[in-house]
Amino acid sequence: MTAAPSADEVRLEIDQHVARVTLDRPHVLNAVGAKTLQHLNEVWERIESDPGVRVVVVTGEGDRAFCTGADMSAEETDRTGLEYWAALDPNGFGGLSLRTTLDVPVIARVNGYALGGGMEMVLGCDIVVAADHAQFGLTEPRVGRVPLDGGVTQLVRRLPHTQAMGLLLTGRRVSAAELAGMGLVNEVVPAEQLDEAVDRWVAGVLACAPTSLRAIKQMVQRTAHLTSQEARTTRLPALMAALDSEDSREGVRAFREKRPPNWPGH
């Protein structure tokens, strides 16, 4: 197992092809400030450059909050709304909500509040597993702000119009069960079963060929503006690699030999 040193209370641990990213700021309910954002982007870049990472789990420290959005300290609130908008990270909140270069599956382990930018980070994940006490919400309008880091634009693409607007235009908090009913949460479990549930999803991802999953993520992230026919013929780097990979050959061998595959990852 390798671990990155704690940097502004963001932890990265990599073990057995699994990268675990933890916002370790429980004193502010894992809110993200400017320095935290910088270190999160460094973490995502490190993961992107590590071919051994096959799945990412992102969470918050403690049992109260996944992430409650922007750190509402004086440093953050001194900026005007226009200044905040002009300085938005192109990768979205936490460097994740709008990121299109992270080609490995990302699982959100939602252990509590996921509000504002925290919910935007959830929208940047591929699989969402939540404790039954978790609450979600794009609460920015209730403090005179706008969910600009993917909250508005992603939610209306992921949900029926009235469901998305019902959340956006009230800024209300919703339970994990309600969001699961809308289709934005994959599984809701009691808090004491959260790690077990996340581990099941991790195992499911690791059972698949890493090259196949990278190809799938690139196709999803980089072809949304295309028709299905156009997307199918786009020569994405990960797709080309997957179609002529040792993984694809190992998958066929394992199927014929009636054994689990041992993915080389290339």
Side-chain angles (χ1 to χ4, degrees):
M1 180 174 72
T2 61
S6 179
D8 196 49
E9 298 158 326
V10 176
R11 298 201 314 270
L12 169 63
E13 298 172 323
I14 300 174
D15 187 28
Q16 300 294 312
H17 303 298
V18 182
R20 299 183 186 271
V21 179
T22 304
L23 280 165
D24 191 4
R25 310 190 76 217
H27 57 291
V28 289
L29 296 179
N30 298 319
V32 173
K35 290 182 180 179
T36 313
L37 171 60
Q38 175 187 339
H39 292 304
L40 278 166
N41 270 316
E42 291 170 357
V43 164
W44 305 131
E45 289 166 7
R46 174 174 171 180
I47 291 171
E48 288 175 350
S49 67
D50 186 343
V53 173
R54 299 182 183 178
V55 61
V56 180
V57 176
V58 58
T59 193
E61 180 61 31
D63 58 8
R64 294 187 63 198
F66 173 81
C67 173
T68 53
D71 188 347
M72 298 291 280
S73 66
E75 174 189 359
E76 300 301 316
T77 55
D78 280 348
R79 293 186 296 176
T80 67
L82 284 173
E83 289 171 336
Y84 181 83
W85 180 66
L88 286 174
D89 190 308
N91 292 308
F93 194 88
L96 179 64
S97 64
L98 295 173
R99 198 174 199 93
T100 60
T101 53
L102 190 56
D103 293 336
V104 294
V106 181
I107 299 172
R109 175 189 177 275
V110 186
N111 52 310
Y113 295 120
L115 305 176
M119 183 165 174
E120 289 175 320
M121 288 184 71
V122 169
L123 289 170
C125 297
D126 305 300
I127 296 168
V128 182
V129 185
D132 55 8
H133 70 277
Q135 294 187 28
F136 301 77
L138 291 167
T139 53
E140 286 89 343
R142 296 204 171 199
V143 292
R145 293 194 171 188
V146 180
L148 293 172
D149 276 320
V152 174
T153 54
Q154 290 211 59
L155 203 67
V156 295
R157 289 166 171 79
R158 303 271 290 278
L159 291 180
H161 179 83
T162 52
Q163 284 187 332
M165 296 304 280
L167 295 176
L168 290 167
L169 298 180
T170 64
R172 70 186 182 94
R173 298 179 184 183
V174 296
S175 68
E178 184 174 353
L179 213 58
M182 294 182 187
L184 285 179
V185 172
N186 294 84
E187 185 175 0
V188 181
V189 296
E192 62 272 16
Q193 298 175 22
L194 184 58
D195 286 330
E196 178 185 349
V198 169
D199 287 346
R200 282 199 311 271
W201 285 95
V202 167
V205 170
L206 293 178
C208 299
T211 51
S212 295
L213 299 187
R214 288 180 180 274
I216 290 168
K217 277 214 64 172
Q218 278 197 6
M219 291 183 72
V220 170
Q221 294 184 124
R222 304 186 191 185
T223 68
H225 61 295
L226 303 175
T227 67
S228 292
Q229 291 86 349
E230 291 168 337
R232 186 181 67 173
T233 58
T234 302
R235 292 175 174 262
L236 296 168
L239 177 59
M240 296 298 99
L243 294 176
D244 186 27
S245 65
E246 186 57 34
D247 278 351
S248 66
R249 289 180 279 276
E250 165 63 8
V252 172
R253 283 194 301 267
F255 178 80
R256 289 175 176 169
E257 296 168 9
K258 296 181 173 56
R259 60 171 176 82
N262 182 19
W263 303 120
H266 57 81

